[in-house]
Amino acid sequence: MRISEMSVPGAWVFSPTVHGDDRGCFAETFRASEFEKVTGRPFDLLQVNTSVSAAGVLRGIHYTDDPPGQAKYVTCVRGAFLDVVIDLRAGSPTFGRWDSVLLDDRDRRSVFISEGLGHAVLSLADDSTLTYLCSLEYSPEYDHDLDAFDPDLAIDWPAAGRDGQRLTYLRSPKDAAAPRLRDR
């Protein structure tokens, strides 16, 4: 497995070796010892979530008060997503910086998102499916949202999906009403 830190400190991309044959494929997408060696910490799993999205569904930007913070290990098991990580840690030299990675069912990459970072995903194909391993159980009193189209963040959302078709963005009412970074 290749592991590389993103330009937002505290976020890493895990790129497994995918072994394929006429039966299908196999990829080891998480190994605790490798994770701990690179991140310098264990991953305490407390909740697992799965989401299925049509092409154009944009979820986020979501983040959790830190402390307690919620770390996530996100893997695409079907389809494709643009996964975006945003530094929301007060006093961080990279506050407001974002980075992205393609998560799909071909390369089988995963992304680890540390506490204090914001997270958003854009589905690039119908029926795209993500699995989130979470270090904190859902706690609505700690959860917050930011506007994914905040011009101060200037996230470069793609206009076309995996098949080249133009995307029509679809957000939840809660995500569409989320404040800008400067108003949080």
Side-chain angles (χ1 to χ4, degrees):
M1 180 175 305
R2 289 184 338 273
I3 304 169
S4 57
E5 191 166 19
M6 297 176 75
S7 67
V8 173
W12 285 266
V13 176
F14 293 76
S15 302
T17 301
V18 179
H19 305 278
D21 59 25
D22 58 348
R23 299 169 297 160
C25 70
F26 172 85
E28 179 181 282
T29 57
F30 182 85
R31 181 183 288 208
S33 60
E34 291 297 312
F35 178 87
E36 288 179 26
K37 187 183 333 176
V38 171
T39 65
R41 58 176 284 176
F43 186 77
D44 298 320
L45 177 61
L46 295 183
Q47 183 172 316
V48 177
N49 302 325
T50 300
S51 69
V52 180
S53 301
V57 169
L58 176 55
R59 299 180 187 271
I61 301 170
H62 302 145
Y63 68 100
T64 304
D65 287 340
D66 189 23
Q70 182 185 60
K72 299 175 187 174
Y73 191 89
V74 182
T75 304
C76 177
V77 295
R78 179 177 181 184
F81 288 88
L82 181 70
D83 190 292
V84 178
V85 178
I86 306 96
D87 190 346
L88 299 176
R89 297 169 293 195
S92 170
T94 57
F95 180 81
R97 179 186 296 170
W98 63 271
D99 198 358
S100 65
V101 62
L102 175 67
L103 300 182
D104 65 17
D105 57 10
R106 295 176 185 159
D107 294 327
R108 307 281 177 187
R109 287 182 205 94
S110 298
V111 65
F112 173 68
I113 304 146
S114 293
E115 298 87 348
L117 302 179
H119 183 238
V121 291
L122 173 64
S123 177
L124 302 175
D126 284 334
D127 295 319
S128 291
T129 306
L130 283 179
T131 298
Y132 300 76
L133 308 180
C134 302
S135 69
L136 180 71
E137 292 178 359
Y138 175 66
S139 305
E141 67 272 21
Y142 300 131
D143 286 356
H144 303 283
D145 308 292
L146 290 175
D147 183 3
F149 295 112
D150 182 340
D152 292 334
L153 293 173
I155 296 172
D156 187 18
W157 297 108
R162 182 162 148 172
D163 61 3
Q165 294 292 328
R166 181 155 184 78
L167 292 174
T168 300
Y169 300 123
L170 177 62
R171 299 190 289 168
S172 72
K174 182 177 165 230
D175 285 350
R180 292 172 62 173
L181 180 61
R182 69 170 74 167
D183 300 327
R184 75 177 188 139

